[in-house]
Amino acid sequence: MEIIEQKKLIRKKIKELKCLFTSGQTDVMSGIICNKVLELQEFKDAHTILLYNSLPDEVKTSILLESYKKGKKIVLPVVKGDNLILKEYIPSQLQVGYMNILEPCGDDIIDPKEIELAVIPGIAFDSHCHRLGRGKGYYDRLLPQTNCTKVGICYSFQIVENIPVDRNDIKMDIVITDCNLYSYKQEYLDSYDNSQANSL
């Protein structure tokens, strides 16, 4: 089976699984995931952080967005044509954009090289930190422009055995769910409770 068809099947399966969970359940799981992200030393050390405003079926990031109150420079992606540009998150300067997502509407564009840590959504991940997105390739085009720690976040049921990948698919450094933390780099696991982490 071709990679494209394999990815379609995984997206279909995850969509079906998401229907089994209530909004209240995903709220609780999102809180667990976001608190794990906040505890990462890489998050604590970073000043400029790429986050995202969540769609209804994604891990909810409101807790993480509040980090701007603690002196973090929070950056959000804005869809422009086939690519993402980056703008600073200022709650009073948001407008409805692509897929009805609230996006920053300021004029200043952030250089991707400023990003020290990126928190990335996905349809599915595997334990090797491969990511499956929605198929548009936005993050796969953006992330090579950065030099940062890449953290994928998802619900535990979004971890699959194997994500089919091609040369354009960007791997995460860490993947965090409500149940586990995955990484192929021991350095990211050393500061995490090994009783909860899965190392390769």
Side-chain angles (χ1 to χ4, degrees):
M1 187 184 300
E2 292 185 2
I3 286 180
I4 292 175
E5 292 303 315
Q6 291 177 322
K7 289 182 175 181
K8 284 182 180 178
L9 287 176
I10 294 173
R11 291 187 182 103
K12 183 175 183 291
K13 175 185 175 182
I14 297 300
K15 184 176 181 180
E16 292 170 351
L17 288 174
K18 285 178 178 177
C19 294
L20 302 177
F21 294 84
T22 67
S23 178
Q25 288 172 316
T26 55
D27 283 349
V28 170
M29 290 189 286
S30 291
I32 293 170
I33 292 165
C34 288
N35 282 321
K36 288 182 178 182
V37 173
L38 291 171
E39 287 303 310
L40 287 175
Q41 191 61 48
E42 292 77 17
F43 189 94
K44 294 176 181 178
D45 291 343
H47 173 257
T48 304
I49 299 171
L50 174 62
L51 296 176
Y52 66 92
N53 243 336
S54 49
L55 289 165
D57 66 340
E58 294 175 332
V59 174
K60 300 165 183 67
T61 55
S62 55
I63 295 173
L64 298 177
L65 291 172
E66 290 295 301
S67 298
Y68 82 95
K69 296 179 179 178
K70 298 180 180 179
K72 300 288 188 186
K73 182 177 181 179
I74 302 302
V75 175
L76 298 183
V78 176
V79 174
K80 186 174 183 180
D82 292 331
N83 297 301
L84 296 177
I85 59 173
L86 306 179
K87 295 187 178 183
E88 185 173 359
Y89 170 68
I90 300 173
S92 62
Q93 298 180 23
L94 299 174
Q95 63 185 6
V96 177
Y98 178 74
M99 294 182 70
N100 293 317
I101 300 171
L102 286 176
E103 299 176 340
C105 55
D107 294 329
D108 293 339
I109 296 176
I110 307 298
D111 187 337
K113 292 182 175 59
E114 290 186 36
I115 303 300
E116 297 164 77
L117 182 137
V119 178
I120 311 295
I123 296 297
F125 297 86
D126 63 23
S127 61
H128 297 270
C129 298
H130 296 124
R131 171 183 175 270
L132 175 65
R134 296 181 185 273
K136 300 291 187 180
Y138 289 123
Y139 281 106
D140 291 323
R141 287 188 290 275
L142 171 69
L143 292 174
Q145 303 174 54
T146 70
N147 183 25
C148 66
T149 302
K150 298 175 286 294
V151 181
I153 59 175
C154 69
Y155 304 121
S156 54
F157 63 82
Q158 292 174 270
I159 297 293
V160 300
E161 184 175 353
N162 181 57
I163 298 286
V165 295
D166 57 36
R167 63 187 182 189
N168 296 317
D169 293 322
I170 302 299
K171 196 173 186 178
M172 301 292 101
D173 296 302
I174 306 168
V175 174
I176 293 178
T177 76
D178 44 292
C179 294
N180 286 301
L181 181 148
Y182 303 88
S183 183
Y184 60 97
K185 297 182 178 180
Q186 187 61 40
E187 64 197 84
Y188 292 123
L189 297 174
D190 286 341
S191 60
Y192 187 76
D193 182 352
N194 286 328
S195 67
Q196 301 180 62
N198 285 352
S199 178
L200 302 180

